[in-house]
Amino acid sequence: MKVESKLIKNLKPATYNPRQISTKQYNDLKDSIVKFSIVDPIIVNKDNTVVGGHQRLKIAKELKHTEIHCVVLDLSKEEERELNIRLNKSGGEFDMDILANEFDIENLVEWGFKHVELGLNIDKIDENYTRKIKTPHYEPKNIKPELSKLVDERKQKELLKKIHKSNVDNETKEFLIKASQRHLVFNYSNIADFYAHSDSETKELMEQSALVIIDFDSAIKNGFVEMSNDLKNLFDEEYN
């Protein structure tokens, strides 16, 4: 570990950094830096990725500083991410979307987060995933529904019309078209009926698409909640 002065333009803020501070906290920090300069050096990895001190670096840029003192570490990327979380855990707030998208829950728990802080209501952790789940269950009927009955596309189609008529650039339009799929409404009761009367290849593809779940551990691991009635009975026998 060494301390050296680095050009600010060469430093790379961590894209995964989840820490947030309020406007007041930011302004207070800026006032302190204006008065006393930057007392604590920021922490960077050997490739100039900023691990700790993102707010100080941002303020230094605003104040037109060209160099900043850095503690330079030699860390793997995994160690770098862990240190970032540990450094920020005691102050400020976290962007929960970034935490959810960039970090594994089990790692965050190991690094000091509590499940309730992460928005999880978990009574018991078994291996890496919770087994406390509530799922809908469907009894397949004797009639195979038409494909058009499996999903309601009305809202998506209305949105697609607006997107196609819009004046946004093509790249943005392509993204919005992909995002419109979020408005498809699946009818899982009809999907269960369709699955029950389908050939083996169709069933396998539906399982891989998570339209139905027949493997309990995979369902937990992938965060899906649909589960067959037979599997529910096996679960009750084992855990109740």
Side-chain angles (χ1 to χ4, degrees), residues 111-125:
W111 300 340
F113 275 91
K114 297 177 182 176
H115 292 103
V116 67
E117 292 179 295
L118 299 171
L120 302 176
N121 183 12
I122 299 179
D123 289 345
K124 176 182 178 182
I125 296 293

PDB file of all heavy atoms in Angstrom, residues 111-125:
ATOM      1  N   TRP A 111     -20.729  -9.267   4.064  1.00  0.00           N
ATOM      2  CA  TRP A 111     -19.984  -8.020   4.240  1.00  0.00           C
ATOM      3  C   TRP A 111     -20.640  -7.062   5.229  1.00  0.00           C
ATOM      4  O   TRP A 111     -20.195  -5.939   5.404  1.00  0.00           O
ATOM      5  CB  TRP A 111     -19.819  -7.315   2.893  1.00  0.00           C
ATOM      6  CG  TRP A 111     -19.073  -8.130   1.887  1.00  0.00           C
ATOM      7  CD1 TRP A 111     -18.247  -9.186   2.121  1.00  0.00           C
ATOM      8  CD2 TRP A 111     -19.102  -7.972   0.458  1.00  0.00           C
ATOM      9  NE1 TRP A 111     -17.770  -9.702   0.945  1.00  0.00           N
ATOM     10  CE2 TRP A 111     -18.262  -8.978  -0.096  1.00  0.00           C
ATOM     11  CE3 TRP A 111     -19.741  -7.077  -0.398  1.00  0.00           C
ATOM     12  CZ2 TRP A 111     -18.070  -9.100  -1.469  1.00  0.00           C
ATOM     13  CZ3 TRP A 111     -19.539  -7.203  -1.756  1.00  0.00           C
ATOM     14  CH2 TRP A 111     -18.714  -8.209  -2.282  1.00  0.00           C
ATOM     15  N   GLY A 112     -21.712  -7.504   5.887  1.00  0.00           N
ATOM     16  CA  GLY A 112     -22.256  -6.709   6.976  1.00  0.00           C
ATOM     17  C   GLY A 112     -23.684  -6.243   6.842  1.00  0.00           C
ATOM     18  O   GLY A 112     -24.234  -5.664   7.770  1.00  0.00           O
ATOM     19  N   PHE A 113     -24.329  -6.500   5.696  1.00  0.00           N
ATOM     20  CA  PHE A 113     -25.725  -6.110   5.560  1.00  0.00           C
ATOM     21  C   PHE A 113     -26.626  -7.101   6.283  1.00  0.00           C
ATOM     22  O   PHE A 113     -26.328  -8.303   6.354  1.00  0.00           O
ATOM     23  CB  PHE A 113     -26.137  -6.076   4.083  1.00  0.00           C
ATOM     24  CG  PHE A 113     -25.816  -4.789   3.387  1.00  0.00           C
ATOM     25  CD1 PHE A 113     -24.616  -4.627   2.739  1.00  0.00           C
ATOM     26  CD2 PHE A 113     -26.715  -3.734   3.401  1.00  0.00           C
ATOM     27  CE1 PHE A 113     -24.305  -3.447   2.095  1.00  0.00           C
ATOM     28  CE2 PHE A 113     -26.422  -2.548   2.768  1.00  0.00           C
ATOM     29  CZ  PHE A 113     -25.214  -2.402   2.106  1.00  0.00           C
ATOM     30  N   LYS A 114     -27.744  -6.597   6.789  1.00  0.00           N
ATOM     31  CA  LYS A 114     -28.780  -7.461   7.337  1.00  0.00           C
ATOM     32  C   LYS A 114     -29.845  -7.652   6.276  1.00  0.00           C
ATOM     33  O   LYS A 114     -30.057  -6.795   5.420  1.00  0.00           O
ATOM     34  CB  LYS A 114     -29.379  -6.824   8.595  1.00  0.00           C
ATOM     35  CG  LYS A 114     -28.371  -6.661   9.728  1.00  0.00           C
ATOM     36  CD  LYS A 114     -28.991  -5.973  10.923  1.00  0.00           C
ATOM     37  CE  LYS A 114     -27.955  -5.782  12.026  1.00  0.00           C
ATOM     38  NZ  LYS A 114     -28.490  -5.042  13.178  1.00  0.00           N
ATOM     39  N   HIS A 115     -30.522  -8.792   6.346  1.00  0.00           N
ATOM     40  CA  HIS A 115     -31.529  -9.098   5.333  1.00  0.00           C
ATOM     41  C   HIS A 115     -32.606  -8.026   5.266  1.00  0.00           C
ATOM     42  O   HIS A 115     -33.076  -7.665   4.185  1.00  0.00           O
ATOM     43  CB  HIS A 115     -32.164 -10.472   5.607  1.00  0.00           C
ATOM     44  CG  HIS A 115     -31.209 -11.605   5.408  1.00  0.00           C
ATOM     45  ND1 HIS A 115     -30.618 -12.265   6.445  1.00  0.00           N
ATOM     46  CD2 HIS A 115     -30.726 -12.163   4.270  1.00  0.00           C
ATOM     47  CE1 HIS A 115     -29.820 -13.203   5.979  1.00  0.00           C
ATOM     48  NE2 HIS A 115     -29.863 -13.168   4.666  1.00  0.00           N
ATOM     49  N   VAL A 116     -32.984  -7.496   6.407  1.00  0.00           N
ATOM     50  CA  VAL A 116     -34.047  -6.494   6.412  1.00  0.00           C
ATOM     51  C   VAL A 116     -33.588  -5.224   5.706  1.00  0.00           C
ATOM     52  O   VAL A 116     -34.380  -4.523   5.076  1.00  0.00           O
ATOM     53  CB  VAL A 116     -34.494  -6.193   7.859  1.00  0.00           C
ATOM     54  CG1 VAL A 116     -33.378  -5.508   8.640  1.00  0.00           C
ATOM     55  CG2 VAL A 116     -35.757  -5.343   7.864  1.00  0.00           C
ATOM     56  N   GLU A 117     -32.288  -4.901   5.771  1.00  0.00           N
ATOM     57  CA  GLU A 117     -31.756  -3.730   5.080  1.00  0.00           C
ATOM     58  C   GLU A 117     -31.848  -3.901   3.575  1.00  0.00           C
ATOM     59  O   GLU A 117     -31.945  -2.928   2.828  1.00  0.00           O
ATOM     60  CB  GLU A 117     -30.292  -3.502   5.463  1.00  0.00           C
ATOM     61  CG  GLU A 117     -30.078  -3.074   6.911  1.00  0.00           C
ATOM     62  CD  GLU A 117     -28.616  -2.900   7.225  1.00  0.00           C
ATOM     63  OE1 GLU A 117     -27.869  -3.902   7.186  1.00  0.00           O
ATOM     64  OE2 GLU A 117     -28.211  -1.766   7.497  1.00  0.00           O
ATOM     65  N   LEU A 118     -31.795  -5.147   3.121  1.00  0.00           N
ATOM     66  CA  LEU A 118     -31.855  -5.433   1.696  1.00  0.00           C
ATOM     67  C   LEU A 118     -33.277  -5.672   1.218  1.00  0.00           C
ATOM     68  O   LEU A 118     -33.501  -6.043   0.070  1.00  0.00           O
ATOM     69  CB  LEU A 118     -30.995  -6.673   1.378  1.00  0.00           C
ATOM     70  CG  LEU A 118     -29.511  -6.525   1.717  1.00  0.00           C
ATOM     71  CD1 LEU A 118     -28.798  -7.863   1.566  1.00  0.00           C
ATOM     72  CD2 LEU A 118     -28.862  -5.475   0.847  1.00  0.00           C
ATOM     73  N   GLY A 119     -34.245  -5.469   2.112  1.00  0.00           N
ATOM     74  CA  GLY A 119     -35.639  -5.636   1.734  1.00  0.00           C
ATOM     75  C   GLY A 119     -36.084  -7.079   1.702  1.00  0.00           C
ATOM     76  O   GLY A 119     -37.074  -7.421   1.055  1.00  0.00           O
ATOM     77  N   LEU A 120     -35.347  -7.955   2.417  1.00  0.00           N
ATOM     78  CA  LEU A 120     -35.680  -9.377   2.422  1.00  0.00           C
ATOM     79  C   LEU A 120     -36.343  -9.744   3.738  1.00  0.00           C
ATOM     80  O   LEU A 120     -35.889  -9.339   4.804  1.00  0.00           O
ATOM     81  CB  LEU A 120     -34.415 -10.228   2.237  1.00  0.00           C
ATOM     82  CG  LEU A 120     -33.614  -9.968   0.956  1.00  0.00           C
ATOM     83  CD1 LEU A 120     -32.356 -10.810   0.968  1.00  0.00           C
ATOM     84  CD2 LEU A 120     -34.454 -10.288  -0.274  1.00  0.00           C
ATOM     85  N   ASN A 121     -37.410 -10.538   3.664  1.00  0.00           N
ATOM     86  CA  ASN A 121     -38.071 -11.033   4.860  1.00  0.00           C
ATOM     87  C   ASN A 121     -37.835 -12.532   4.912  1.00  0.00           C
ATOM     88  O   ASN A 121     -38.599 -13.320   4.375  1.00  0.00           O
ATOM     89  CB  ASN A 121     -39.575 -10.729   4.798  1.00  0.00           C
ATOM     90  CG  ASN A 121     -40.284 -11.175   6.066  1.00  0.00           C
ATOM     91  OD1 ASN A 121     -39.653 -11.495   7.059  1.00  0.00           O
ATOM     92  ND2 ASN A 121     -41.606 -11.220   6.011  1.00  0.00           N
ATOM     93  N   ILE A 122     -36.741 -12.920   5.556  1.00  0.00           N
ATOM     94  CA  ILE A 122     -36.304 -14.309   5.517  1.00  0.00           C
ATOM     95  C   ILE A 122     -36.239 -14.872   6.930  1.00  0.00           C
ATOM     96  O   ILE A 122     -35.548 -14.347   7.798  1.00  0.00           O
ATOM     97  CB  ILE A 122     -34.916 -14.421   4.850  1.00  0.00           C
ATOM     98  CG1 ILE A 122     -35.008 -13.912   3.411  1.00  0.00           C
ATOM     99  CG2 ILE A 122     -34.406 -15.837   4.892  1.00  0.00           C
ATOM    100  CD1 ILE A 122     -33.698 -13.947   2.684  1.00  0.00           C
ATOM    101  N   ASP A 123     -36.981 -15.926   7.166  1.00  0.00           N
ATOM    102  CA  ASP A 123     -36.956 -16.574   8.463  1.00  0.00           C
ATOM    103  C   ASP A 123     -35.792 -17.556   8.572  1.00  0.00           C
ATOM    104  O   ASP A 123     -35.236 -17.778   9.627  1.00  0.00           O
ATOM    105  CB  ASP A 123     -38.259 -17.342   8.701  1.00  0.00           C
ATOM    106  CG  ASP A 123     -39.422 -16.390   8.941  1.00  0.00           C
ATOM    107  OD1 ASP A 123     -39.160 -15.203   9.190  1.00  0.00           O
ATOM    108  OD2 ASP A 123     -40.576 -16.837   8.860  1.00  0.00           O
ATOM    109  N   LYS A 124     -35.457 -18.153   7.424  1.00  0.00           N
ATOM    110  CA  LYS A 124     -34.417 -19.173   7.473  1.00  0.00           C
ATOM    111  C   LYS A 124     -33.708 -19.203   6.134  1.00  0.00           C
ATOM    112  O   LYS A 124     -34.331 -19.179   5.090  1.00  0.00           O
ATOM    113  CB  LYS A 124     -35.035 -20.557   7.747  1.00  0.00           C
ATOM    114  CG  LYS A 124     -34.021 -21.696   7.721  1.00  0.00           C
ATOM    115  CD  LYS A 124     -34.695 -23.033   7.938  1.00  0.00           C
ATOM    116  CE  LYS A 124     -33.695 -24.183   7.872  1.00  0.00           C
ATOM    117  NZ  LYS A 124     -34.339 -25.483   8.033  1.00  0.00           N
ATOM    118  N   ILE A 125     -32.371 -19.210   6.153  1.00  0.00           N
ATOM    119  CA  ILE A 125     -31.579 -19.330   4.942  1.00  0.00           C
ATOM    120  C   ILE A 125     -31.039 -20.753   4.895  1.00  0.00           C
ATOM    121  O   ILE A 125     -30.362 -21.208   5.808  1.00  0.00           O
ATOM    122  CB  ILE A 125     -30.413 -18.337   4.925  1.00  0.00           C
ATOM    123  CG1 ILE A 125     -30.951 -16.916   4.913  1.00  0.00           C
ATOM    124  CG2 ILE A 125     -29.522 -18.571   3.720  1.00  0.00           C
ATOM    125  CD1 ILE A 125     -31.678 -16.555   3.641  1.00  0.00           C
TER     126      ILE A 125
END
